[in-house]
PDB file of all heavy atoms in Angstrom:
ATOM      1  N   TYR A  16      -6.545  20.079 -37.431  1.00  0.00           N
ATOM      2  CA  TYR A  16      -7.115  19.167 -36.437  1.00  0.00           C
ATOM      3  C   TYR A  16      -6.053  18.196 -35.914  1.00  0.00           C
ATOM      4  O   TYR A  16      -5.965  17.940 -34.704  1.00  0.00           O
ATOM      5  CB  TYR A  16      -8.291  18.370 -37.020  1.00  0.00           C
ATOM      6  CG  TYR A  16      -9.548  19.178 -37.150  1.00  0.00           C
ATOM      7  CD1 TYR A  16     -10.034  19.556 -38.401  1.00  0.00           C
ATOM      8  CD2 TYR A  16     -10.267  19.571 -36.018  1.00  0.00           C
ATOM      9  CE1 TYR A  16     -11.189  20.303 -38.522  1.00  0.00           C
ATOM     10  CE2 TYR A  16     -11.427  20.318 -36.128  1.00  0.00           C
ATOM     11  CZ  TYR A  16     -11.877  20.679 -37.388  1.00  0.00           C
ATOM     12  OH  TYR A  16     -13.030  21.427 -37.500  1.00  0.00           O
ATOM     13  N   ILE A  23      -2.467  18.703 -27.902  1.00  0.00           N
ATOM     14  CA  ILE A  23      -3.225  18.315 -26.704  1.00  0.00           C
ATOM     15  C   ILE A  23      -2.556  17.123 -26.023  1.00  0.00           C
ATOM     16  O   ILE A  23      -2.352  17.118 -24.804  1.00  0.00           O
ATOM     17  CB  ILE A  23      -4.688  17.997 -27.054  1.00  0.00           C
ATOM     18  CG1 ILE A  23      -5.430  19.296 -27.393  1.00  0.00           C
ATOM     19  CG2 ILE A  23      -5.388  17.234 -25.930  1.00  0.00           C
ATOM     20  CD1 ILE A  23      -6.759  19.087 -28.090  1.00  0.00           C
ATOM     21  N   TRP A  28       0.796  14.497 -21.948  1.00  0.00           N
ATOM     22  CA  TRP A  28       1.960  13.633 -21.723  1.00  0.00           C
ATOM     23  C   TRP A  28       2.922  14.312 -20.746  1.00  0.00           C
ATOM     24  O   TRP A  28       3.356  13.717 -19.768  1.00  0.00           O
ATOM     25  CB  TRP A  28       2.634  13.336 -23.051  1.00  0.00           C
ATOM     26  CG  TRP A  28       3.807  12.391 -23.014  1.00  0.00           C
ATOM     27  CD1 TRP A  28       4.197  11.565 -21.991  1.00  0.00           C
ATOM     28  CD2 TRP A  28       4.728  12.157 -24.076  1.00  0.00           C
ATOM     29  NE1 TRP A  28       5.300  10.834 -22.357  1.00  0.00           N
ATOM     30  CE2 TRP A  28       5.652  11.175 -23.633  1.00  0.00           C
ATOM     31  CE3 TRP A  28       4.860  12.667 -25.356  1.00  0.00           C
ATOM     32  CZ2 TRP A  28       6.694  10.711 -24.433  1.00  0.00           C
ATOM     33  CZ3 TRP A  28       5.892  12.204 -26.152  1.00  0.00           C
ATOM     34  CH2 TRP A  28       6.805  11.236 -25.694  1.00  0.00           C
ATOM     35  N   HIS A  42       6.338   8.888  -2.316  1.00  0.00           N
ATOM     36  CA  HIS A  42       6.415   7.449  -2.017  1.00  0.00           C
ATOM     37  C   HIS A  42       7.738   7.130  -1.315  1.00  0.00           C
ATOM     38  O   HIS A  42       7.759   6.403  -0.310  1.00  0.00           O
ATOM     39  CB  HIS A  42       6.285   6.650  -3.310  1.00  0.00           C
ATOM     40  CG  HIS A  42       6.141   5.181  -3.106  1.00  0.00           C
ATOM     41  ND1 HIS A  42       5.425   4.390  -3.958  1.00  0.00           N
ATOM     42  CD2 HIS A  42       6.612   4.338  -2.167  1.00  0.00           C
ATOM     43  CE1 HIS A  42       5.464   3.139  -3.554  1.00  0.00           C
ATOM     44  NE2 HIS A  42       6.188   3.081  -2.457  1.00  0.00           N
ATOM     45  N   SER A  46       8.207   5.856   2.587  1.00  0.00           N
ATOM     46  CA  SER A  46       8.863   4.585   2.946  1.00  0.00           C
ATOM     47  C   SER A  46       9.738   4.729   4.192  1.00  0.00           C
ATOM     48  O   SER A  46      10.107   3.726   4.802  1.00  0.00           O
ATOM     49  CB  SER A  46       9.699   4.063   1.776  1.00  0.00           C
ATOM     50  OG  SER A  46      10.878   4.838   1.618  1.00  0.00           O
ATOM     51  N   ASP A  54       2.594   2.149   5.410  1.00  0.00           N
ATOM     52  CA  ASP A  54       1.786   1.224   4.603  1.00  0.00           C
ATOM     53  C   ASP A  54       0.610   1.926   3.936  1.00  0.00           C
ATOM     54  O   ASP A  54       0.331   1.705   2.753  1.00  0.00           O
ATOM     55  CB  ASP A  54       1.279   0.071   5.473  1.00  0.00           C
ATOM     56  CG  ASP A  54       2.435  -0.724   6.086  1.00  0.00           C
ATOM     57  OD1 ASP A  54       3.483  -0.847   5.422  1.00  0.00           O
ATOM     58  OD2 ASP A  54       2.276  -1.203   7.225  1.00  0.00           O
ATOM     59  N   GLN A  69      -0.980   4.893 -16.152  1.00  0.00           N
ATOM     60  CA  GLN A  69      -1.659   4.012 -17.103  1.00  0.00           C
ATOM     61  C   GLN A  69      -2.855   4.653 -17.802  1.00  0.00           C
ATOM     62  O   GLN A  69      -3.174   4.284 -18.927  1.00  0.00           O
ATOM     63  CB  GLN A  69      -2.101   2.723 -16.399  1.00  0.00           C
ATOM     64  CG  GLN A  69      -0.924   1.893 -15.954  1.00  0.00           C
ATOM     65  CD  GLN A  69      -1.326   0.678 -15.133  1.00  0.00           C
ATOM     66  OE1 GLN A  69      -2.460   0.537 -14.701  1.00  0.00           O
ATOM     67  NE2 GLN A  69      -0.365  -0.203 -14.910  1.00  0.00           N
ATOM     68  N   TRP A  93       9.266  18.711 -43.781  1.00  0.00           N
ATOM     69  CA  TRP A  93       9.859  19.053 -42.477  1.00  0.00           C
ATOM     70  C   TRP A  93      11.090  18.193 -42.188  1.00  0.00           C
ATOM     71  O   TRP A  93      12.011  18.632 -41.507  1.00  0.00           O
ATOM     72  CB  TRP A  93       8.848  18.853 -41.359  1.00  0.00           C
ATOM     73  CG  TRP A  93       7.818  19.924 -41.240  1.00  0.00           C
ATOM     74  CD1 TRP A  93       7.775  21.122 -41.909  1.00  0.00           C
ATOM     75  CD2 TRP A  93       6.666  19.896 -40.410  1.00  0.00           C
ATOM     76  NE1 TRP A  93       6.666  21.835 -41.545  1.00  0.00           N
ATOM     77  CE2 TRP A  93       5.967  21.107 -40.614  1.00  0.00           C
ATOM     78  CE3 TRP A  93       6.158  18.974 -39.518  1.00  0.00           C
ATOM     79  CZ2 TRP A  93       4.787  21.408 -39.953  1.00  0.00           C
ATOM     80  CZ3 TRP A  93       4.987  19.277 -38.858  1.00  0.00           C
ATOM     81  CH2 TRP A  93       4.313  20.488 -39.087  1.00  0.00           C
ATOM     82  N   VAL A 106      12.951  14.455 -29.012  1.00  0.00           N
ATOM     83  CA  VAL A 106      11.806  13.558 -28.836  1.00  0.00           C
ATOM     84  C   VAL A 106      12.303  12.154 -28.471  1.00  0.00           C
ATOM     85  O   VAL A 106      11.750  11.507 -27.578  1.00  0.00           O
ATOM     86  CB  VAL A 106      10.904  13.532 -30.086  1.00  0.00           C
ATOM     87  CG1 VAL A 106       9.859  12.420 -29.995  1.00  0.00           C
ATOM     88  CG2 VAL A 106      10.244  14.888 -30.286  1.00  0.00           C
ATOM     89  N   ASP A 126       7.392  -1.613  -4.317  1.00  0.00           N
ATOM     90  CA  ASP A 126       7.990  -1.060  -3.091  1.00  0.00           C
ATOM     91  C   ASP A 126       9.507  -1.230  -3.054  1.00  0.00           C
ATOM     92  O   ASP A 126      10.091  -1.349  -1.987  1.00  0.00           O
ATOM     93  CB  ASP A 126       7.356  -1.659  -1.829  1.00  0.00           C
ATOM     94  CG  ASP A 126       6.145  -0.878  -1.386  1.00  0.00           C
ATOM     95  OD1 ASP A 126       6.128   0.355  -1.567  1.00  0.00           O
ATOM     96  OD2 ASP A 126       5.209  -1.507  -0.858  1.00  0.00           O
ATOM     97  N   ILE A 128      12.694   0.644  -3.320  1.00  0.00           N
ATOM     98  CA  ILE A 128      13.187   2.019  -3.259  1.00  0.00           C
ATOM     99  C   ILE A 128      14.672   1.999  -3.633  1.00  0.00           C
ATOM    100  O   ILE A 128      15.505   1.544  -2.852  1.00  0.00           O
ATOM    101  CB  ILE A 128      12.989   2.627  -1.843  1.00  0.00           C
ATOM    102  CG1 ILE A 128      11.561   2.414  -1.337  1.00  0.00           C
ATOM    103  CG2 ILE A 128      13.428   4.087  -1.817  1.00  0.00           C
ATOM    104  CD1 ILE A 128      10.483   3.115  -2.107  1.00  0.00           C
ATOM    105  N   PHE A 147      11.498  22.777 -22.758  1.00  0.00           N
ATOM    106  CA  PHE A 147      12.028  24.073 -23.175  1.00  0.00           C
ATOM    107  C   PHE A 147      12.720  23.963 -24.532  1.00  0.00           C
ATOM    108  O   PHE A 147      12.487  24.786 -25.425  1.00  0.00           O
ATOM    109  CB  PHE A 147      13.021  24.610 -22.135  1.00  0.00           C
ATOM    110  CG  PHE A 147      12.383  25.476 -21.088  1.00  0.00           C
ATOM    111  CD1 PHE A 147      11.588  24.917 -20.103  1.00  0.00           C
ATOM    112  CD2 PHE A 147      12.577  26.844 -21.088  1.00  0.00           C
ATOM    113  CE1 PHE A 147      11.004  25.705 -19.131  1.00  0.00           C
ATOM    114  CE2 PHE A 147      11.992  27.645 -20.123  1.00  0.00           C
ATOM    115  CZ  PHE A 147      11.200  27.078 -19.136  1.00  0.00           C
ATOM    116  N   VAL A 149      12.367  21.721 -26.977  1.00  0.00           N
ATOM    117  CA  VAL A 149      11.452  21.417 -28.080  1.00  0.00           C
ATOM    118  C   VAL A 149      10.585  22.625 -28.426  1.00  0.00           C
ATOM    119  O   VAL A 149      10.416  22.953 -29.605  1.00  0.00           O
ATOM    120  CB  VAL A 149      10.596  20.168 -27.754  1.00  0.00           C
ATOM    121  CG1 VAL A 149       9.473  19.992 -28.763  1.00  0.00           C
ATOM    122  CG2 VAL A 149      11.474  18.933 -27.704  1.00  0.00           C
ATOM    123  N   LEU A 152      12.643  25.182 -30.298  1.00  0.00           N
ATOM    124  CA  LEU A 152      12.940  24.712 -31.654  1.00  0.00           C
ATOM    125  C   LEU A 152      11.722  24.826 -32.559  1.00  0.00           C
ATOM    126  O   LEU A 152      11.830  25.269 -33.702  1.00  0.00           O
ATOM    127  CB  LEU A 152      13.421  23.259 -31.617  1.00  0.00           C
ATOM    128  CG  LEU A 152      14.884  23.062 -31.293  1.00  0.00           C
ATOM    129  CD1 LEU A 152      15.156  21.606 -30.954  1.00  0.00           C
ATOM    130  CD2 LEU A 152      15.761  23.511 -32.454  1.00  0.00           C
ATOM    131  N   LYS A 156      12.071  27.513 -35.162  1.00  0.00           N
ATOM    132  CA  LYS A 156      12.413  26.726 -36.349  1.00  0.00           C
ATOM    133  C   LYS A 156      13.815  27.064 -36.861  1.00  0.00           C
ATOM    134  O   LYS A 156      14.039  27.269 -38.050  1.00  0.00           O
ATOM    135  CB  LYS A 156      11.377  26.916 -37.450  1.00  0.00           C
ATOM    136  CG  LYS A 156      10.051  26.281 -37.124  1.00  0.00           C
ATOM    137  CD  LYS A 156       9.086  26.383 -38.274  1.00  0.00           C
ATOM    138  CE  LYS A 156       7.791  25.712 -38.031  1.00  0.00           C
ATOM    139  NZ  LYS A 156       7.121  25.847 -36.794  1.00  0.00           N
ATOM    140  N   ALA A 158      17.856  25.853 -36.350  1.00  0.00           N
ATOM    141  CA  ALA A 158      18.947  25.087 -35.772  1.00  0.00           C
ATOM    142  C   ALA A 158      20.155  26.000 -35.564  1.00  0.00           C
ATOM    143  O   ALA A 158      21.031  25.712 -34.766  1.00  0.00           O
ATOM    144  CB  ALA A 158      19.327  23.922 -36.675  1.00  0.00           C
ATOM    145  N   VAL A 166      23.168  26.964 -24.522  1.00  0.00           N
ATOM    146  CA  VAL A 166      23.567  27.817 -23.396  1.00  0.00           C
ATOM    147  C   VAL A 166      22.350  28.101 -22.513  1.00  0.00           C
ATOM    148  O   VAL A 166      22.428  28.017 -21.280  1.00  0.00           O
ATOM    149  CB  VAL A 166      24.226  29.124 -23.893  1.00  0.00           C
ATOM    150  CG1 VAL A 166      24.442  30.101 -22.745  1.00  0.00           C
ATOM    151  CG2 VAL A 166      25.549  28.820 -24.591  1.00  0.00           C
ATOM    152  N   LEU A 174      19.906  26.878 -12.918  1.00  0.00           N
ATOM    153  CA  LEU A 174      18.898  27.550 -12.084  1.00  0.00           C
ATOM    154  C   LEU A 174      17.971  26.536 -11.401  1.00  0.00           C
ATOM    155  O   LEU A 174      17.612  26.713 -10.231  1.00  0.00           O
ATOM    156  CB  LEU A 174      18.081  28.537 -12.921  1.00  0.00           C
ATOM    157  CG  LEU A 174      18.828  29.786 -13.399  1.00  0.00           C
ATOM    158  CD1 LEU A 174      17.961  30.600 -14.351  1.00  0.00           C
ATOM    159  CD2 LEU A 174      19.287  30.630 -12.218  1.00  0.00           C
ATOM    160  N   ASN A 190      11.812  22.349   9.132  1.00  0.00           N
ATOM    161  CA  ASN A 190      11.693  21.136   9.941  1.00  0.00           C
ATOM    162  C   ASN A 190      12.398  21.298  11.284  1.00  0.00           C
ATOM    163  O   ASN A 190      12.046  20.619  12.241  1.00  0.00           O
ATOM    164  CB  ASN A 190      12.256  19.929   9.195  1.00  0.00           C
ATOM    165  CG  ASN A 190      11.338  19.467   8.088  1.00  0.00           C
ATOM    166  OD1 ASN A 190      10.163  19.784   8.077  1.00  0.00           O
ATOM    167  ND2 ASN A 190      11.888  18.731   7.137  1.00  0.00           N
TER     168      ASN A 190
END
Side-chain angles (χ1 to χ4, degrees):
Y16 284 110
I23 288 165
W28 183 14
H42 189 149
S46 73
D54 300 326
Q69 294 174 348
W93 283 352
V106 170
D126 272 326
I128 311 295
F147 269 73
V149 170
L152 278 166
K156 290 185 177 44
V166 171
L174 290 173
N190 286 341

